[in-house]
Amino acid sequence: MTHRFPIKEIARQAGLGPATIDRVLNNRAHVSPQTRLRVKAAIEELEAQEAQLTARGRRLFFDFVVEAPARFSREIKAATESVLPEIGGAVCRPRFTLQEMMEPQDVVAILRRIAKRGSDGVVLKVRDTPNIREALALLRSTEIPVVTLVTDITGGDRQAYVGVDNAGAGCTAAYLMAHVLQGGTGTILATRSHEGFSGEEAREEAFQVALAVRCPELKIVSLQGGSGVDVGTSRLLADRLSELGALRGVYSMGGGNRAILSVLGAQGLHPEVYVAHDLDRENRDLLCARRLSFVLHHDLRSDIRNAFKVFLSHHRLSVDFVAPAVSTVQVLTPENVPELPTL
């Protein structure tokens, strides 16, 4: 494994001991495949941060723990790396733990390791469960600030939430759907990646209330699970097809849209309106192909920038801190898809 960084530097980035790094770099025995991947990822992260590493200032290490489909995790990582050169007052070093599916006990184990080795801040996109809330209390007791991203965690142990106004997004989806369908009967499919994400729960609750006011005769069929991953989403939807009846619309809160469209299309179901979230590469392609009607988007880079501001304020490295506001919902159509940003 080629590299140009000191072993201690790689060890800090990977969150491992120097001896472990030495064994990996010299291809010695008794090293798990997961550890090798972790070291490889750390070197790649150091390469991505190399321009900022030449800057002067205090070095801070931040941990990103994200449960999300790979397509969205890539967006988070790219957004983070793009805003690093803008951050003044310190050299910010992100460390990423990105997985498509993580059980709550896995997240707890990761957070305990972070508490033990230390961190200058943790960004979380994970489920809201009692044991994860207990792990946040542990981080708080060690004075490690936590910022939740896109989906919040209840309780008072996180420093701030950054991300979209989820309830506002649900109301927006209901408005768009009602405007297209103009009332009448039929079925709406509302999908979530997992019941444990409080952000998606807030979207669905607001959506159901708002749509019931505008189109009271429409029936909503809720589907939860699959983690936004194509295989799991396809299986869950295939088992519920008999409930859809005269399907008129889809509100997809958790992704897996290509899989959803494929399963519906195989049954001859073609919704009149399809509302999805986030302009990742898959949704961009589907929107441009007019297979999605609307994408509810927000500025992820602004969210990450706000997270860093929270951390710098916590470490007294920022004097002009203002508590971050939730991101505004942007309604994208096939006619106003923004160009890909240069990251």
Side-chain angles (χ1 to χ4, degrees):
M1 193 179 296
T2 59
H3 70 96
R4 56 183 175 275
F5 304 103
I7 286 179
K8 287 185 178 181
E9 197 79 5
I10 300 172
R12 292 188 69 185
Q13 186 69 29
L16 299 169
T20 301
I21 303 299
D22 182 73
R23 288 200 299 272
V24 172
L25 296 178
N26 291 287
N27 202 28
R28 296 194 177 101
H30 309 299
V31 180
S32 70
Q34 293 84 357
T35 299
R36 293 185 186 278
L37 288 174
R38 213 162 144 190
V39 173
K40 181 175 182 291
I43 292 173
E44 291 174 351
E45 290 165 9
L46 285 170
E47 290 172 346
Q49 301 165 24
E50 196 164 20
Q52 201 201 19
L53 290 176
T54 60
R56 294 180 179 179
R58 181 176 169 185
R59 291 189 180 186
L60 302 179
F61 286 82
F62 301 109
D63 291 277
F64 285 69
V65 182
V66 174
E67 180 187 359
R71 58 182 174 268
F72 189 62
S73 292
R74 284 193 295 267
E75 299 293 325
I76 292 175
K77 188 173 183 181
T80 302
E81 291 171 347
S82 74
V83 303
L84 285 178
E86 306 171 15
I87 308 300
V91 178
C92 299
R93 301 274 297 277
R95 301 182 290 211
F96 298 96
T97 302
L98 312 172
Q99 297 183 28
E100 291 196 317
M101 288 176 277
M102 285 191 285
E103 293 303 317
Q105 60 268 25
D106 300 327
V107 176
V108 170
I110 292 167
L111 297 182
R112 284 177 177 167
R113 286 199 299 270
I114 291 172
K116 184 177 180 180
R117 76 174 184 232
S119 177
D120 294 303
V122 178
V123 176
L124 286 181
K125 183 197 174 297
V126 294
R127 306 174 201 174
D128 184 9
T129 66
N131 52 350
I132 290 178
R133 290 195 288 272
E134 289 178 6
L136 259 66
L138 172 63
L139 292 176
R140 188 177 183 87
S141 71
T142 59
E143 298 186 351
I144 297 176
V146 174
V147 170
T148 52
L149 173 66
V150 180
T151 182
D152 206 358
I153 296 177
T154 54
D157 289 311
R158 53 88 168 147
Q159 199 89 351
Y161 164 78
V162 296
V164 70
D165 174 4
N166 284 300
C171 291
T172 302
Y175 173 85
L176 294 170
M177 198 161 285
H179 183 74
V180 172
L181 297 180
Q182 295 294 307
T185 59
T187 303
I188 303 298
L189 173 64
T191 67
R192 288 163 52 185
S193 66
H194 197 283
E195 62 180 5
F197 289 112
S198 64
E200 292 179 14
E201 180 181 9
R203 293 173 187 177
E204 183 172 19
E205 288 179 354
F207 174 74
Q208 290 188 352
V209 171
L211 191 65
V213 171
R214 291 180 169 85
C215 301
E217 295 184 359
L218 289 174
K219 172 188 173 184
I220 298 176
V221 174
S222 297
L223 178 68
Q224 302 171 8
S227 297
V229 179
D230 287 353
V231 174
T233 302
S234 296
R235 289 174 179 169
L236 286 169
L237 180 55
D239 291 339
R240 301 283 299 278
L241 285 171
S242 61
E243 302 176 37
L244 297 183
L247 180 66
R248 299 190 64 195
V250 175
Y251 178 32
S252 171
M253 290 159 269
N257 297 306
R258 194 178 298 279
I260 293 170
L261 286 164
S262 177
V263 172
L264 294 178
Q267 297 297 315
L269 298 173
H270 302 287
E272 299 169 51
V273 57
Y274 195 125
V275 182
H277 271 266
D278 303 313
L279 194 67
D280 55 40
R281 291 183 183 275
E282 178 177 293
N283 285 347
R284 174 183 291 274
D285 292 343
L286 293 173
L287 186 62
C288 290
R290 299 180 181 271
R291 301 189 69 192
L292 301 180
S293 310
F294 306 100
V295 168
L296 303 183
H297 185 56
H298 65 284
D299 186 352
L300 190 56
R301 287 184 292 179
S302 177
D303 298 335
I304 301 297
R305 196 179 294 113
N306 283 334
F308 282 128
K309 289 179 179 178
V310 171
F311 293 144
L312 293 178
S313 175
H314 173 86
H315 293 290
R316 295 184 173 88
L317 296 172
S318 174
V319 296
D320 57 350
F321 174 72
V322 178
V326 294
S327 298
T328 303
V329 178
Q330 303 173 25
V331 179
L332 303 182
T333 75
E335 303 298 336
N336 69 333
V337 181
E339 295 182 2
L340 281 169
T342 301
L343 298 179

